[in-house]
Amino acid sequence: MGIIGLHTRGWDKEEMNGTGNLMDFLDEPFPDVGTYEDFHTIDWLREKSRDTDRHRKITTKSKESYWELIKSLLDAWSGWVVMLLIGMLTGTLAGVIDLAVDWMTDLKEGVCLSALYYSREQCCWTSNETTFDDRDKCPQWQKWAELMTGHSEGAGAYVLNYFLYVLWALLFSFLAVSLVRVFAPYACGSGIPEIKTILSGFIIRGYLGKWTLLIKTVTLVLAVSSGLSLGKEGPLVHVACCCGNLFCSLFSKYSKNEGKRREVLSAAAAAGVSVAFGAPIGGVLFSLEEVSYYFPLKTLWRSFFAALVAAFTLRAINPFGNSRLVLFYVEYHTPWYMAELVPFILLGVFGGLWGALFIRGNIAWCRRRKTTLLGKYPVLEVIVITGITAVLAFPNPYTRRSTSELISELFNDCGALESSQLCDYVNNPNMSRPVDDIPDRPAGPGVYSALWQLALALIFKIVITIFTFGMKIPSGLFIPSMAVGAIAGRIVGIAVEQMAYHHHDWIIFKNWCRPGADCVTPGLYAMVGAAACLGGVTRMTVSLVVIMFELTGGLEYIVPLMAAAVTSKWVADAFGKEGIYESHIQLNGYPYLDVRDEFTHRTLATDVMRPRRSEPPLAVLTQDSTTVEDVETLIKDTDYNGFPVVVSRESERLIGFVQRRELTVAIKTARQKQDGVVSSSVVYFTEDNPQVAEACDPQPLKLRRILNLSPFTVTDHTPMETVVDIFRKLGLRQCLVTRSGRLLGIITKKDVLRHMAQMMNQDPESIMFN
């Protein structure tokens, strides 16, 4: 059950002081008042009302003196300062994570002799002995077998490299899961389902704490470097929100108001996606479309600023070494043709099917993890999955390397300078065209062997990602999903390219693909496939397309991306409306009311409200006949978060609503500060001051100031469709049900969620967060 906050009114001094030394408690704010218990929901209306009052006071005081004017200006600018700090710290952490991941991923295969902290690419940049043909190799970079035995070729060297690759992977994953388990259990997983729940108003203390930030940053590097089928992009949103929460604690404007704090966290989520992909605009749209629950226009501007600062900071660090912000820069030299929309839409269908398969498989596995012995051995699970992944990944060059490198190669177009196996085409010796306009050519043996390896890599990624996501280590989903789509897209792209080359006289190719022309770009198909699979899993549309064109620089390919994203969403929605994040929210039982869910059942508020006929009557307080002992007994015997206040138990006419926490604090403070308050003292919620009949009577306790005089109410015949809409749009914790001003019952957010689950033939207790 929930509470609507403090009622703010002007009070004159006589009313505050009352009779004798009687006080209307909470004339001055107490530290515990206005805060919420762990695993409870905030009241958006109350937080907004408190911030409005705070702003009104500051505006009034600013007219009194120059010092107060300066303070009001500082208060107004504090939001932008917080965004600046969030952007700078998030960008710095992302740059450090990128550099560390590159180095530790290469450490599994070898080491740089000239500088141990260099990755293979950095090592070979500094080498003067690298030739054009072997630009990926240099004397300073040595594989472990060559360093230990002096032999770089042969079965013995292969076995030793294989063994050390698996050993490093196991070490990294063991360190990651151990650190998470011992120091910060909240640092595991993607973090986006919990961020969505927190932004909807739920309190999970410690989830955005300093320890979580530190451990998540360190273990994210270890987890990605281990070679598991996971990415760092989702967890970077969690890291950015931890940075946001950290800086919120420095400003009372945000630390004391949970609603304002969530505005900052929405902007921090945008900064997280900005640095994850180098896509500032996509980050803002991701926060708006996928993560945020309440997103006013002011938050949009600040999200944009935070994403901009984060992107600038990352660009200054330049972790990719290419002077570009984007993760997978591509440069295609040919346009796309209308006939290619058919394979693009087919890739969208594949993405939707993969998304539906992945969500069902992963949720089934996570549910099994929760309900069986498997969940009791998270370290063993991580070790086993890492071992299987490393053993199966090493023989295939496309799974051995990091997933980001794989996607980058799949996106790339085959120019004259490419040495990839995917670019092993048969060249025409008479070709005398510029480098940027290489015509379609027949595939060579390297391309065909690459296709077989990619097909095996596709099956491997599809299966292993289902079991990897959700383990007790930081694990993102963006990059593995994109890898599945990019592999499928590249295979389709090469197939279309070869069909166009060998059958250019077919009617489908005749109009747009002449002999000797460069008319099909396989890398574009990989890009479209990546967008389709990511959309199928997350159900993103607008933000996905913007992220993809920012990610690759492929601005002219928005229409193919849009076609694939929409198709994948339609296909995936046919199997279930929830994306992977909403599915994990349901699995964990978080009290989350999705604004996209529709409620069309014809039930009334009276069908959902409590108490039911078989239950005891509603626990209430009266305005002038309840003693301190009665209140303390009620608090002790119940676990409700608040109590309605009525005129009397006979009339049941509603006066207001009082919060359990504030009631407890007020009585405790009154016993300490006000003389004569004992267990038999009468608690008054009336406007008039209670009169003490005789000197020997116990001193009454007036608690009018903590009473919310305007709790949200509905009548018993209000349709539940309207009630659900009210809860969603106003962010209510509860509303009271009345008839002609008489209190009948209460509907809480959990009651609404239970009722919606029942209407969908689900277990109503599945929404109870444990």
Side-chain angles (χ1 to χ4, degrees), residues 132-245:
F132 178 78
D133 292 331
D134 292 321
R135 58 189 180 280
D136 292 331
K137 299 175 184 175
C138 54
Q140 281 84 0
W141 176 266
Q142 289 194 355
K143 292 191 174 181
W144 290 111
E146 186 180 359
L147 186 67
M148 293 178 176
T149 64
H151 300 291
S152 59
E153 306 295 333
Y158 183 84
V159 170
L160 183 57
N161 282 329
Y162 198 156
F163 174 74
L164 287 170
Y165 179 91
V166 174
L167 197 65
W168 277 111
L170 291 170
L171 175 64
F172 290 158
S173 63
F174 175 72
L175 283 173
V177 70
S178 300
L179 287 170
V180 167
R181 191 164 168 75
V182 174
F183 295 107
Y186 282 153
C188 67
S190 161
I192 292 181
E194 286 77 13
I195 297 297
K196 279 173 73 81
T197 310
I198 288 170
L199 289 180
S200 76
F202 197 53
I203 302 278
I204 308 178
R205 300 214 184 280
Y207 199 83
L208 302 175
K210 300 181 188 71
W211 267 111
T212 305
L213 173 61
L214 177 63
I215 298 301
K216 186 109 183 184
T217 305
V218 173
T219 54
L220 181 55
V221 173
L222 291 165
V224 175
S225 304
S226 69
L228 283 163
S229 184
L230 47 84
K232 60 181 182 296
E233 285 65 29
L236 271 174
V237 175
H238 186 186
V239 167
C241 287
C242 287
C243 296
N245 193 57

Side-chain angles (χ1 to χ4, degrees), residues 13 23 48 119 121 192 254 271 348 373 406 541 559 674 688 753 755:
K13 290 196 175 178
M23 297 167 63
K48 187 162 180 57
S119 66
E121 195 174 10
I192 292 181
Y254 299 108
L373 279 173
L406 169 64
T541 50
V559 172
Q674 183 176 322
D688 299 326
L753 286 162
H755 183 66

Side-chain angles (χ1 to χ4, degrees), residues 69-80:
L69 178 64
I70 292 168
K71 281 169 69 176
S72 71
L73 291 173
L74 289 173
D75 180 79
W77 275 94
S78 62
W80 297 102

